[in-house]
């Protein structure tokens, strides 16, 4: 079954790439929509969907006269809910929300079609603009959402990563001197992955060693990421990996079937 997917997403996607935090994405001009049948959208429960309901969808309906019915579900339920609907050919949902890791699976199974096919069918005049529109996004993100060179989805909720760091350690004169001696540049909040690696190694100390003039009673680690058995736990490390053009695994085929996976080591990681 080939499901029409992400038609509505084309209308309310926002730019995930800009030169400034104050940059305003170019407004998207909505085409005339003659079919006023309500659109059913699946979205993950959370404040982003609340915002979607209260702001973007309200503006969309105001501009087009088309109502949108939002089916909210937890991330853990969304995958099975949507996959079952597509496998059974129910046509229950007009627009589905894809976690980045599902995009290639659904495309390979024929559940989705390339975005440009939908544009050519429903708004052919805009087909030539897909390249300009997609240039708003980072290439690594578009690669995740593509299959066999064709974009199958567009991002609308891109998480923002940030670092929290201890000012008392970064401003400690003794630590600053040691860091400069070891790495040749001032200790500061990291702004590159290489700097993050340097800071992580520098501040990792064993029990009994000194940190900011105090003896450690237990091991201390220079960096920490999310952990636990939950759906989003891989996001931080995956974002770094994918942003560098890396992959967790490469598939191996014994034509025409998948025979296994090869582990991929990123050179910058120890």
């Amino acid at each position: 079954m080939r499901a029409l997917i992400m038609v509505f997403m084309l209308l309310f996607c926002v730019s995930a790439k800009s030169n400034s935090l104050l940059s305003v994405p170019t407004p998207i001009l909505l085409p005339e929509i003659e079919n006023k049948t309500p659109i059913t959208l699946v979205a993950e429960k959370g404040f982003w969907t609340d915002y979607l309901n209260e702001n973007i969808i309200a503006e969309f309906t105001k501009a087009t006269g088309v109502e949108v019915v939002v089916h909210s579900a937890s991330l853990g339920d969304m995958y099975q809910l949507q996959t079952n609907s597509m496998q059974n050919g129910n046509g229950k949902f007009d627009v589905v929300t894809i976690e980045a890791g599902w995009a290639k699976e659904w495309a390979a199974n024929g559940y989705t079609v390339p975005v440009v096919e939908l544009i050519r069918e429903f708004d052919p005049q805009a087909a030539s603009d897909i390249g300009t529109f997609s240039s708003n996004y980072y290439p690594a993100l578009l690669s995740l959402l593509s299959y066999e060179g064709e974009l199958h989805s567009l991002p609308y909720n891109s998480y923002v990563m940030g670092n929290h760091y201890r000012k008392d350690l970064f401003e400690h004169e003794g630590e600053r001197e040691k860091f400069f001696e070891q790495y040749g540049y001032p200790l500061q909040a990291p702004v590159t992955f290489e700097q993050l690696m340097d800071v992580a190694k520098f501040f990792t100390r064993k029990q009994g060693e000194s940190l900011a003039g105090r003896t450690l009673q237990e091991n201390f680690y220079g960096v920490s990421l999310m952990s636990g058995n939950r759906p989003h736990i891989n996001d931080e490390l995956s974002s770094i990996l994918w942003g560098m053009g890396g992959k967790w695994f490469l598939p191996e085929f014994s034509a025409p079937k998948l025979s296994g996976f090869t582990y991929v080591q990123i050179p910058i990681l120890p």
Side-chain angles (χ1 to χ4, degrees):
M1 182 197 71
R2 306 178 79 195
L4 294 182
I5 182 172
M6 295 299 163
V7 180
F8 181 55
M9 290 297 184
L10 289 172
L11 306 179
F12 67 74
C13 285
V14 296
S15 174
K17 180 181 180 182
S18 63
N19 296 323
S20 166
L21 292 176
L22 300 179
S23 297
V24 178
T26 303
I28 300 172
L29 299 178
L30 299 176
E32 181 67 28
I33 299 178
E34 297 180 0
N35 185 350
K36 304 299 183 182
T37 303
I39 295 172
T40 302
L41 161 69
V42 179
E44 183 184 359
K45 286 182 179 178
F47 64 87
W48 40 73
T49 298
D50 293 339
Y51 180 85
L52 188 67
N53 264 319
E54 297 166 7
N55 296 273
I56 299 176
I57 286 178
E59 289 298 317
F60 173 83
T61 300
K62 180 179 178 181
T64 64
V66 179
E67 294 185 3
V68 179
V69 179
V70 178
H71 185 107
S72 297
S74 67
L75 182 66
D77 293 334
M78 279 174 55
Y79 173 82
Q80 203 59 52
L81 175 73
Q82 297 175 127
T83 300
N84 288 345
S85 178
M86 289 185 286
Q87 286 178 337
N88 297 328
N90 294 337
K92 186 176 181 181
F93 308 118
D94 300 304
V95 183
V96 297
T97 299
I98 295 179
E99 176 75 1
W102 309 342
K104 285 180 169 52
E105 175 193 344
W106 286 2
N109 285 328
Y111 301 157
T112 64
V113 298
V115 170
V116 70
E117 286 191 22
L118 301 180
I119 298 175
R120 287 171 181 158
E121 181 175 353
F122 296 103
D123 191 15
Q125 293 182 347
S128 60
D129 296 332
I130 185 64
T132 302
F133 183 81
S134 61
S135 67
N136 284 323
Y137 304 97
Y138 291 108
L141 185 56
L142 295 180
S143 176
L144 284 173
L145 300 176
S146 298
Y147 178 70
E148 295 186 340
E150 296 278 5
L151 190 62
H152 277 247
S153 180
L154 288 169
Y156 84 102
N157 179 16
S158 300
Y159 300 143
V160 177
M161 294 178 62
N163 293 328
H164 297 267
Y165 65 96
R166 285 181 50 177
K167 289 185 65 178
D168 62 321
L169 298 184
F170 278 75
E171 295 177 356
H172 188 275
E173 287 302 320
E175 297 295 343
R176 293 176 65 84
E177 291 174 5
K178 291 178 184 177
F179 185 89
F180 187 84
E181 182 180 336
Q182 290 184 38
Y183 296 97
Y185 65 91
L187 176 62
Q188 61 184 13
V191 295
T192 68
F193 186 65
E194 290 79 5
Q195 291 177 4
L196 178 62
M197 294 287 287
D198 289 345
V199 167
K201 292 176 182 177
F202 175 72
F203 280 118
T204 297
R205 314 278 171 89
K206 294 186 179 297
Q207 180 182 358
E209 293 183 334
S210 176
L211 177 66
R214 297 183 179 182
T215 301
L216 291 169
Q217 302 302 310
E218 56 187 4
N219 292 339
F220 187 88
Y221 300 94
V223 69
S224 63
L225 299 175
M226 296 189 299
S227 64
N229 185 20
R230 295 183 181 277
H232 285 300
I233 291 305
N234 76 92
D235 284 359
E236 288 181 336
L237 192 55
S238 291
S239 296
I240 295 171
L241 180 70
W242 295 331
M244 294 171 63
K247 299 176 175 64
W248 284 106
F249 301 97
L250 286 176
E252 293 180 338
F253 291 94
S254 178
K257 296 182 178 180
L258 178 68
S259 60
F261 294 92
T262 300
Y263 168 71
V264 181
Q265 183 172 1
I266 302 301
I268 196 170
L269 296 178

